[in-house]
Amino acid sequence: NRVLRSRAHRVVALADGSKWGRVGLATFAELKDVDVLITDRSILNQDSDAIKILTGLGIDVRVVDAE
């Protein structure tokens, strides 16, 4: 994964918003490595400041409907 990220022009992550704030057994990248995050509105249920935090890190956040 690290080699793929280092050669990519940009890293786009697709993540279920309910995963915000959870620690998993495996990761694809750290937030500092992500350029664009596509997620659903459930991220706002986890943390109302999540979008502000992510955009503050320079991440382009795209919130979409889960349907």
Side-chain angles (χ1 to χ4, degrees), residues 2-66:
R2 185 173 24 116
V3 173
L4 288 173
R5 286 192 317 270
S6 69
R7 294 179 185 220
H9 293 284
R10 68 182 181 161
V11 175
V12 178
L14 175 64
D16 179 336
S18 68
K19 305 299 187 265
W20 176 256
R22 294 185 179 200
V23 178
L25 294 175
T27 59
F28 168 75
E30 294 182 33
L31 285 176
K32 67 180 179 66
D33 299 322
V34 176
D35 299 303
V36 180
L37 173 66
I38 302 169
T39 189
D40 64 291
R41 296 184 190 287
S42 68
I43 192 170
L44 300 172
N45 297 333
Q46 303 300 317
D47 182 349
S48 60
D49 290 329
I51 305 292
K52 185 187 301 182
I53 293 167
L54 292 163
T55 56
L57 294 170
I59 300 171
D60 177 10
V61 180
R62 313 247 177 127
V63 179
V64 299
D65 289 326

